[in-house]
Amino acid sequence: LHALQHRGQESAGIVTSHSDALHIHKGMGLVSTVFAKGEARELPGRIGIGHVRYSTAGSSNLVNAQPLMGRYIHGQVALAHNGTLVAAKRLAYNLGATGALFQTNADSELFLHLLAQEQASTEDEIAQMFAHAGPAFAVVLLFTDRLIAARDPFGFRPLVLGRLKDGYVVASETCAFDQIGATFIREIEPGEMVVCSAEGCHSHFFASPGQGHARCLLELIYFARPDSVVFGETPHIFRQRSGRLLAAEQPASADIVVAIPDSGMSAAMGYAEGMGLPLERGLIRNHYVGRSFIAPGQEARAAAVRMKHNVVRDVVKGKRVVLVDDSLIRGTTTNALGRELRNAGALEVHLRIACPPTRHPCVYGVDFPRREELMAHNYSLEEIRAHLDMDSLGYLSLDGMTGLFGDGAGSFCTACWSGD
């Protein structure tokens, strides 16, 4: 969970299985806060699941913190979910009509109700439950005797399988395996359910592996840690490639390249290489402030940004600066940087974004569900440039970005840029 902290900062939790019973500890805040007194060592058992939350559906409070637990006709069960269920409203209405009582306002709870309603316990029954849920999800289910991991048929969110001594592990990213000395085996495939128990590990497909995939490109652009392997790509290398292409598509007359740290660093390295310009540390990030993009609510995001970056004056003074970031969603992080760089003596500030303009909301598990939040939906590129006080603004084209994957481009989701 420490290795995956970048994926969610609102709450953390662990559930383990021991002596035919599940045991839980969870709370609001970072992993280091929730488990500050060694609570994880007090959880008994040899099977467990954990979660760090970034709310994309349901409010940020303890009742929605995961893993979620319940009891149904076949015993106790716990789950952890990454993604957003597109059919959540319909599922909740149908379940409510049959008498379901909801304990949270998070879509993740719907899995527990589907499990109970269908009285699912066999692998075939649980597979059917996943098929009925619809996208988007990467889920782990914990029963008293087994762990089940599943990924929706489109593969929006990542999920990987690894080996740790005589056991198995699953996680959103391979960097979690590195942290505990586990060996990466492979991705869990879209539409696949993996079952791990005392007898070993085997898989079961609940949807055709040939169904069209739609892996989230924002995982490679922003979410995933640079040292992970996600969708067969190393994010750091992918971001460097996108930065080099950005330099070819959107060059700028400048003296230095400065990354918006930390997520913009890899793209800035590629851009600087492509332009033949020095990459300088003109902005220093306060690492004791979390990722502002995934903070819950605009007020919290703005507060995080104010504490997040500081300009190195002697680096930018008297220079024409190209500022590079991986993405521009709400503009919260970038909003004050143009002015701050000029106040520090920068002669010009040119902003380059290593992905296309984000004009459409995401319904698959990234927290910008409303068009009104999106800068590129509300304003023209010239209006964005003026609002951010930049001398020029350039984005990587959608064709350029998808072209980085060659024949595999069609297996990625581009809905937040293309609307498709």
Side-chain angles (χ1 to χ4, degrees):
L1 293 182
H2 277 292
L4 296 172
Q5 186 74 84
H6 61 285
R7 300 190 66 86
Q9 300 167 176
E10 296 172 38
S11 62
I14 294 174
V15 175
T16 62
S17 172
H18 179 67
S19 298
D20 295 325
L22 298 186
H23 306 263
I24 187 169
H25 180 79
K26 62 182 178 178
M28 300 300 292
L30 302 177
V31 177
S32 57
T33 301
V34 175
F35 297 96
K37 298 179 180 178
E39 291 89 345
R41 289 192 294 272
E42 304 301 318
L43 291 170
R46 58 186 180 81
I47 323 174
I49 62 174
H51 190 263
V52 287
R53 185 161 189 255
Y54 149 62
S55 58
T56 60
S59 50
S60 179
N61 54 39
L62 184 57
V63 72
N64 287 333
Q66 296 189 34
L68 299 177
M69 270 180 60
R71 183 185 295 274
Y72 73 129
I73 192 169
H74 295 293
Q76 283 184 293
V77 60
L79 78 88
H81 169 216
N82 178 27
T84 298
L85 294 181
V86 176
K89 287 185 178 179
R90 175 179 58 80
L91 290 170
Y93 179 84
N94 292 341
L95 288 162
T98 61
L101 293 171
F102 301 106
Q103 302 299 310
T104 76
N105 64 353
D107 60 338
S108 306
E109 186 185 355
L110 296 171
F111 285 107
L112 295 179
H113 289 282
L114 288 171
L115 201 67
Q117 187 180 68
E118 299 178 22
Q119 298 185 16
S121 64
T122 68
E123 289 180 22
D124 285 340
E125 291 168 342
I126 294 170
Q128 277 297 108
M129 183 271 294
F130 283 127
H132 291 161
F137 63 83
V139 167
V140 285
L141 286 176
L142 177 65
F143 298 89
T144 55
D145 61 343
R146 60 195 155 145
L147 180 145
I148 293 178
R151 193 169 167 212
D152 74 63
F154 294 94
F156 284 103
R157 310 258 67 88
L159 197 61
V160 289
L161 176 68
R163 188 77 191 242
L164 179 62
K165 298 179 182 176
D166 295 328
Y168 292 90
V169 290
V170 295
S172 292
E173 295 183 36
T174 60
C175 64
F177 296 167
D178 300 335
Q179 204 78 31
I180 60 173
T183 303
F184 171 56
I185 298 175
R186 63 175 178 87
E187 274 192 76
I188 292 175
E189 294 294 323
E192 183 183 14
M193 182 179 88
V194 173
V195 183
C196 297
S197 66
E199 285 71 49
C201 210
H202 61 278
S203 81
H204 184 126
F205 280 90
F206 58 89
S208 168
Q211 184 165 348
H213 297 168
R215 297 170 290 180
C216 174
L217 255 178
L218 271 179
E219 289 282 353
L220 289 175
I221 290 166
Y222 172 82
F223 265 103
R225 228 170 72 166
D227 52 328
S228 286
V229 176
V230 177
F231 307 144
E233 297 271 352
T234 299
H236 169 65
I237 302 300
F238 170 81
R239 293 165 192 172
Q240 276 189 311
R241 282 165 41 212
S242 66
R244 285 193 291 270
L245 182 59
L246 179 63
E249 289 190 353
Q250 299 287 345
S253 297
D255 303 307
I256 61 172
V257 175
V258 171
I260 298 182
D262 286 326
S263 57
M265 183 58 71
S266 300
M269 292 173 68
Y271 189 90
E273 180 186 334
M275 289 295 299
L277 292 173
L279 175 66
E280 295 281 359
R281 293 190 70 189
L283 290 172
I284 302 299
R285 181 183 166 187
N286 180 348
H287 285 91
Y288 300 96
V289 177
R291 305 185 87 177
S292 56
F293 176 82
I294 64 174
Q298 183 61 19
E299 187 175 334
R301 283 188 287 268
V305 166
R306 285 193 294 273
M307 296 183 286
K308 189 173 180 179
H309 297 118
N310 199 39
V311 178
V312 184
R313 291 178 175 272
D314 286 346
V315 168
V316 303
K317 187 176 181 180
K319 301 287 177 56
R320 297 171 299 166
V321 177
V322 182
L323 193 61
V324 178
D325 206 357
D326 55 359
S327 56
L328 180 64
I329 309 296
R330 302 177 182 91
T332 312
T333 297
T334 320
N335 194 32
L337 290 181
R339 182 175 63 255
E340 290 179 11
L341 286 163
R342 291 180 199 284
N343 290 343
L347 299 179
E348 298 174 7
V349 185
H350 303 272
L351 180 62
R352 295 295 181 266
I353 305 298
C355 77
T358 304
R359 295 192 170 101
H360 305 276
C362 177
V363 296
Y364 304 115
V366 183
D367 186 24
F368 49 88
R370 296 185 299 115
R371 285 180 172 82
E372 295 73 27
E373 299 181 14
L374 305 176
M375 184 164 269
H377 172 79
N378 296 317
Y379 305 106
S380 68
L381 297 191
E382 171 56 26
E383 287 170 334
I384 295 172
R385 183 205 65 75
H387 179 75
L388 297 177
D389 194 21
M390 300 294 172
D391 288 281
S392 71
L393 169 66
Y395 289 86
L396 185 62
S397 69
L398 181 56
D399 286 344
M401 168 149 287
T402 54
L404 292 171
F405 297 99
D407 294 339
S411 67
F412 287 91
C413 177
T414 63
C416 56
W417 306 306
S418 66
D420 180 8

